[in-house]
């Protein structure tokens, strides 16, 4: 299982690409990202915010923003997907996931900036999340979304998730997937787990 080095979160960053080949960096959120992350959330359409956070909001409440920007607190983690241009980094997507040790599962949610829908960022972000979840020792992933969220439902179906009725709220649907051995192995987090495991074996 991955133990985060909070002093060097940059080592867990990954680079993926849009369908047109633009580079997108996936990295952990830090406290210094608070203003830009809040601006990203405010910049989403009202419909996208409603679907992402399962309710109406114009921005992240201060307590939620603080939680988002402190990676690893209570086994909860936040990522941003960012692109660079003209020496400026801009957030084009985000994801939040939590590890549940009682059943080795990871719960997640994500969003992509409206203008970047259809460019392949969502699928790449989800695949990266599965790899990061495997690095934590998770054997399954799940998420909840509104039954009206066609974009997220379509993404989950294409990514191999199975759907079932939400246990508590009829307006939601839950999607789940077994990961582990079948997870993508290309993320920095999982490579570090494998490398550290090999080093421990050699030291014995």
């Amino acid at each position: 299982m991955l133990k985060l080095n909070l002093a060097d979160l940059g080592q867990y960053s990954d680079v993926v690409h849009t369908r047109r080949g633009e580079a997108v960096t996936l990295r952990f959120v830090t406290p210094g990202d608070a203003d830009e992350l809040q601006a990203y959330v405010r910049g989403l359409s009202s419909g996208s915010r409603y679907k992402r956070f399962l309710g109406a909001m114009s921005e992240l409440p201060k307590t939620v923003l603080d939680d988002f920007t402190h990676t690893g607190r209570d086994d909860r983690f936040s990522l941003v997907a960012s692109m660079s241009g003209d020496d400026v980094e801009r957030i084009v997507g985000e994801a939040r996931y939590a590890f549940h040790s009682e059943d080795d599962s990871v719960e997640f949610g994500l969003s992509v900036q409206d203008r970047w829908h259809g460019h392949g960022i969502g699928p790449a972000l989800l695949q990266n999340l599965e790899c990061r979840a495997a690095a934590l020792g998770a054997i399954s992933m799940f998420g909840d979304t509104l039954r009206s969220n066609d974009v997220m439902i379509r993404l989950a179906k294409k990514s191999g998730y199975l759907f079932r009725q939400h246990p508590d709220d009829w307006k939601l649907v839950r999607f789940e997937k077994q990961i582990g051995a079948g997870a993508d192995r290309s993320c920095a987090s999982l490579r570090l787990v494998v490398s550290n495991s090999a080093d421990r074996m050699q030291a014995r």
Side-chain angles (χ1 to χ4, degrees):
M1 178 177 174
L2 179 68
K3 299 293 185 182
L4 286 184
N5 178 1
L6 298 179
D8 185 16
L9 290 176
Q11 66 181 311
Y12 309 107
S13 298
D14 298 296
V15 176
V16 298
H17 294 86
T18 68
R19 293 196 174 102
R20 296 188 304 191
E22 297 110 327
V24 181
T25 300
L26 306 180
R27 62 172 179 81
F28 282 127
V29 176
T30 69
D33 294 313
D35 289 344
E36 189 175 356
L37 181 61
Q38 187 70 283
Y40 166 82
V41 172
R42 290 170 179 157
L44 293 173
S45 67
S46 58
S48 290
R49 281 196 305 271
Y50 189 92
K51 291 173 182 177
R52 168 64 177 93
F53 299 106
L54 309 181
M57 65 164 59
S58 59
E59 64 179 21
L60 294 175
K62 288 184 178 180
T63 54
V64 176
L65 181 61
D66 182 70
D67 202 33
F68 259 71
T69 56
H70 286 81
T71 292
R73 177 189 287 173
D74 298 326
D75 285 334
R76 295 194 297 267
F77 309 87
S78 300
L79 294 178
V80 289
S82 66
M83 301 177 71
S84 298
D86 299 324
D87 296 323
V88 176
E89 181 190 41
R90 62 190 185 280
I91 296 176
V92 297
E94 58 77 33
R96 181 80 167 148
Y97 61 104
F99 178 68
H100 300 299
S101 59
E102 63 273 16
D103 60 0
D104 293 331
S105 68
V106 160
E107 180 179 4
F108 74 96
L110 61 84
S111 70
V112 174
Q113 191 177 60
D114 293 77
R115 71 177 293 265
W116 285 100
H117 286 185
H119 289 262
I121 295 175
L125 181 53
L126 181 51
Q127 185 179 48
N128 186 263
L129 282 178
E130 292 175 3
C131 185
R132 289 171 184 259
L136 290 173
I139 60 175
S140 66
M141 286 182 62
F142 73 94
D144 299 327
T145 194
L146 294 165
R147 293 182 179 274
S148 59
N149 191 349
D150 295 336
V151 173
M152 188 65 228
I153 289 173
R154 185 164 55 249
L155 171 59
K157 283 183 177 178
K158 287 184 177 180
S159 301
Y161 285 77
L162 301 178
F163 286 74
R164 67 179 178 87
Q165 184 175 346
H166 191 275
D168 303 312
D169 192 336
W170 66 269
K171 298 187 298 297
L172 304 178
V173 63
R174 176 161 291 181
F175 44 93
E176 303 171 318
K177 181 180 181 179
Q178 299 297 307
I179 53 171
D184 175 69
R185 291 301 199 240
S186 62
C187 67
S189 297
L190 196 52
R191 289 197 301 270
L192 285 168
V193 169
V194 173
S195 176
N196 292 340
S197 178
D199 289 343
R200 287 194 298 268
M201 291 295 291
Q202 291 177 358
R204 290 180 180 174

